[in-house]
Amino acid sequence: MSISGDSKRMESQRSHNQLHVIFLPYPTPGHMIPMIDTARLFAKHGVNVTIITTHANASTFQRSIDSDFNSGYSIKTHLIHFPSAQVGLPHGVENIKDATSFEMFGKISRGLSMLQDPIELLFQDLQPDCIVTDMMLPWTVEAAAKLNIPRLYYYSSSYFSNCASHFIRKYRPHDDLVSDTQKFTIPCLPHTIEMTPLTLADWIRTKNSATGSFGAIFGPIFESEKRSYGTLYNSFHELESDYEKLNKTTIGIKSWSVGPVSTWINKDDENKSNRGDIGKEGELLNWLSSKPNESVLYVSFGSLTRLSHEQIVEIAYGLENSSHNFIWVVREKDKDEDVDGFLQSFEERMKESNKGYIIWNWAPQLLILDHPATGGIVTHCGWNSILESLSVGLPMITWPMFGEQFYNEKLLVDVLEIGVSVGSKVNKFWLSIGEDAVVRREDIAKAVEILMGSSQESKEMRIRAKKLGDAAKRTIEKGGDSYNNLVQLIDELKSLKKSKAIGEKQHLINPVHCNGDKRS
């Protein structure tokens, strides 16, 4: 046999022995970004990785995957066709963030559910050793069971939020309160955490939540976690060790903290602005560099948040009245709907005073957060933004909008004491823009003053945030907790693959007949 034939055989033998893990993300930025980062980390630790997604969703991260592949890592995307025409959507609308109405949201969700059968067939064709799927895809538990492989449940928020939500659903401490604004304490947590029913998602708040559409969706999701091999968390031990421990005893399944994944995957990447099209990056950096250290507040509400025009006006005046420097990311759509030209004149005023910098639509967030002039962030309490801010040691003004963001606020303000609440009081589904839950300019200015001022409270918050930032960097280095967890998980999955192969070999040598006798 020729040398080239030998090397081919060895190559095929090696790829056969290599652990093959499929990642199936849920298409909304808060869920997809950390899962793609995690998939890339698996590949960088020697795993053969396949990411299953649709064409439009792949286009948002394909560049990173190609770069990893060209660097010698075994990672690829497998594209499936999204049924846009069948559900009545324009071509290319494949991500939850593209929804502009409840009707559109329903169509995208319907399109996603139609992908279940083709994805199951793909699992059978690709024969992975493990599947890592988003929490929003509970059907994958059965799919993994059919293939006799482990399914890992990917939870894209904090241990704290999972524990808080679990105990509120279990004990319903808010059911007998006389009003939606009355406080209750979440049972069984190591810290005293008070909330009001208004800060809970509708489907938890309502008594007959199990019959509501979201209740019907989330029931199977939480059940699927208990039936999974384990859960992957984009968190780290030093950040919420009490809740990591509580989660293991409460949910009762294995979990691995492997975060912060964005910091980890980008730590050797000089080009921190690798998400999106930069455009005026030079101008922005010059503006930032002209400001004193820790003097600029970064204001960003994530990709799903929709704000009423009235709220936008209050934010503008609140920031202006606080007299601190700021960078504010505003959606292009808000500019289009700015009929009275308010935002335009505000932007011009800020340019003149040189106090504020407005970015339309997309910002190089990692680059801004990492700049020495940035001293704090206003966040909607989405977990990715929290981790990105924490990793560079920044304290936060908390402005939760929907979902589990109100739990994350409690973690930042009451447990870690690195956040100042702006006073957001109502948990509304992200597509509902309400005029009734407006946070006023004086509350915004007050929170900015507490965070960015020179009081003792502000100084202590900064010290705590910096300590957590150092811990975030340590945990992903060789020997750190998150690093060790990832290596240990990959080793465990390799052992499972080996035992399965041995079991199958034994079965082939000694097949069992229906009467239980082995063939001699």
Side-chain angles (χ1 to χ4, degrees):
M1 189 184 277
S2 71
I3 291 171
S4 63
D6 272 345
S7 63
K8 269 182 191 164
R9 196 174 61 184
M10 279 164 70
E11 186 59 45
S12 118
Q13 188 63 34
R14 199 161 47 239
S15 66
H16 180 70
N17 290 335
Q18 195 181 17
L19 184 70
H20 180 206
V21 179
I22 283 180
F23 284 77
L24 183 63
Y26 183 72
T28 185
H31 289 235
M32 201 163 81
I33 291 169
M35 190 185 269
I36 300 304
D37 286 345
T38 306
R40 293 177 63 202
L41 285 171
F42 268 68
K44 288 193 174 192
H45 281 79
V47 175
N48 175 20
V49 167
T50 305
I51 299 163
I52 298 176
T53 190
T54 66
H55 293 72
N57 285 305
S59 68
T60 62
F61 60 80
Q62 190 63 48
R63 207 169 64 180
S64 303
I65 304 305
D66 292 342
S67 161
D68 289 352
F69 181 80
N70 294 332
S71 301
Y73 300 111
S74 182
I75 186 166
K76 61 181 179 295
T77 45
H78 194 112
L79 301 179
I80 44 168
H81 172 70
F82 186 83
S84 309
Q86 282 166 273
V87 292
L89 282 169
H91 177 69
V93 174
E94 302 174 3
N95 193 292
I96 294 294
K97 75 169 167 46
D98 300 327
T100 52
S101 64
F102 281 98
E103 185 195 2
M104 205 170 176
F105 175 77
K107 286 177 179 179
I108 297 171
S109 301
R110 202 153 57 250
L112 291 173
S113 67
M114 288 166 72
L115 297 177
Q116 181 176 334
D117 290 345
I119 290 171
E120 284 213 49
L121 285 171
L122 204 48
F123 286 162
Q124 286 162 21
D125 285 350
L126 296 172
Q127 287 292 308
D129 301 307
C130 169
I131 51 177
V132 179
T133 75
D134 189 274
M135 60 180 283
M136 298 299 287
L137 305 165
W139 56 268
T140 53
V141 166
E142 302 294 346
K146 282 180 204 164
L147 291 170
N148 188 27
I149 57 170
R151 180 250 194 178
L152 291 171
Y153 174 101
Y154 197 98
Y155 188 67
S156 46
S157 195
S158 56
Y159 279 106
F160 178 89
S161 66
N162 206 19
C163 292
S165 161
H166 173 84
F167 288 119
I168 289 174
R169 292 194 317 273
K170 185 174 180 179
Y171 296 111
R172 304 198 61 81
H174 55 292
D175 273 355
D176 302 319
L177 302 181
V178 292
S179 88
D180 268 353
T181 54
Q182 197 180 341
K183 287 182 176 174
F184 66 88
T185 302
I186 304 178
C188 307
L189 298 186
H191 297 83
T192 302
I193 304 295
E194 290 186 327
M195 293 184 77
T196 67
L198 273 183
T199 57
L200 301 177
D202 275 346
W203 65 273
I204 292 184
R205 190 189 315 163
T206 326
K207 269 193 178 171
N208 61 350
S209 64
T211 59
S213 59
F214 278 99
I217 290 168
F218 281 100
I221 286 171
F222 297 124
E223 276 310 301
S224 84
E225 180 177 14
K226 291 174 192 158
R227 295 174 54 209
S228 297
Y229 183 74
T231 306
L232 271 176
Y233 277 85
N234 181 20
S235 186
F236 58 101
H237 182 72
E238 296 89 336
L239 180 61
E240 39 174 0
S241 54
D242 288 349
Y243 294 92
E244 184 181 44
K245 197 162 127 193
L246 181 63
N247 187 74
K248 283 178 183 171
T249 53
T250 302
I251 310 291
I253 71 162
K254 292 180 183 181
S255 69
W256 291 268
S257 307
V258 294
V261 293
S262 161
T263 309
W264 193 346
I265 204 71
N266 289 304
K267 78 182 166 93
D268 302 321
D269 186 0
E270 290 309 305
N271 177 17
K272 286 245 172 90
S273 53
N274 61 352
R275 284 195 190 142
D277 184 23
I278 305 308
K280 293 181 173 177
E281 185 199 296
E283 185 191 302
L284 166 68
L285 286 179
N286 286 341
W287 185 87
L288 261 175
S289 300
S290 73
K291 302 296 176 193
N293 283 1
E294 298 184 353
S295 71
V296 177
L297 178 69
Y298 176 62
V299 185
S300 172
F301 294 102
S303 47
L304 287 187
T305 304
R306 309 287 189 264
L307 297 169
S308 66
H309 186 64
E310 187 187 353
Q311 184 61 82
I312 286 168
V313 170
E314 291 299 310
I315 293 170
Y317 283 124
L319 291 173
E320 188 173 16
N321 297 347
S322 77
S323 76
H324 287 276
N325 297 313
F326 65 88
I327 290 173
W328 179 18
V329 185
V330 187
R331 292 170 70 237
E332 198 78 55
K333 214 163 174 23
D334 294 325
K335 192 184 196 175
D336 301 340
E337 290 160 11
D338 185 27
V339 281
D340 58 359
F342 172 80
L343 278 169
Q344 205 179 332
S345 61
F346 178 72
E347 184 179 24
E348 281 164 18
R349 211 161 62 242
M350 290 308 99
K351 274 181 182 165
E352 277 169 35
S353 68
N354 203 29
K355 274 287 181 192
Y357 193 104
I358 305 235
I359 296 178
W360 298 101
N361 235 27
W362 188 87
Q365 182 156 304
L366 296 178
L367 204 134
I368 295 168
L369 293 176
D370 209 23
H371 197 282
T374 306
I377 175 173
V378 175
T379 176
H380 61 303
C381 299
W383 192 236
N384 294 333
S385 289
I386 286 174
L387 287 177
E388 286 180 354
S389 308
L390 261 179
S391 297
V392 289
L394 290 178
M396 291 163 243
I397 288 174
T398 58
W399 193 328
M401 303 280 177
F402 61 90
E404 87 294 345
Q405 294 167 3
F406 284 83
Y407 301 134
N408 289 341
E409 173 180 54
K410 292 292 173 187
L411 173 67
L412 293 174
V413 177
D414 297 345
V415 178
L416 302 172
E417 296 180 338
I418 56 163
V420 179
S421 173
V422 82
S424 176
K425 292 183 173 68
V426 183
N427 190 325
K428 276 187 168 291
F429 184 60
W430 60 275
L431 275 168
S432 316
I433 296 176
E435 300 293 329
D436 54 344
V438 171
V439 177
R440 295 292 162 201
R441 62 189 74 176
E442 49 274 21
D443 294 325
I444 298 166
K446 187 176 157 194
V448 174
E449 194 42 56
I450 294 171
L451 190 87
M452 301 297 288
S454 51
S455 68
Q456 194 54 34
E457 184 183 357
S458 167
K459 283 175 188 159
E460 285 169 8
M461 235 185 296
R462 271 174 205 292
I463 291 166
R464 284 191 287 269
K466 281 197 166 67
K467 271 189 183 162
L468 284 170
D470 292 340
K473 288 183 182 80
R474 276 197 310 273
T475 196
I476 56 179
E477 292 297 337
K478 201 166 186 175
D481 277 330
S482 288
Y483 186 97
N484 290 346
N485 288 340
L486 181 63
V487 170
Q488 186 254 319
L489 168 59
I490 291 170
D491 285 346
E492 197 168 314
L493 293 174
K494 282 178 183 168
S495 298
L496 285 174
K497 175 183 164 86
K498 261 188 199 150
S499 341
K500 187 184 171 206
I502 291 165
E504 282 166 1
K505 220 177 216 173
Q506 289 296 117
H507 187 72
L508 285 171
I509 296 165
N510 302 313
V512 176
H513 291 297
C514 294
N515 61 7
D517 292 334
K518 286 179 182 171
R519 192 183 290 165
S520 56

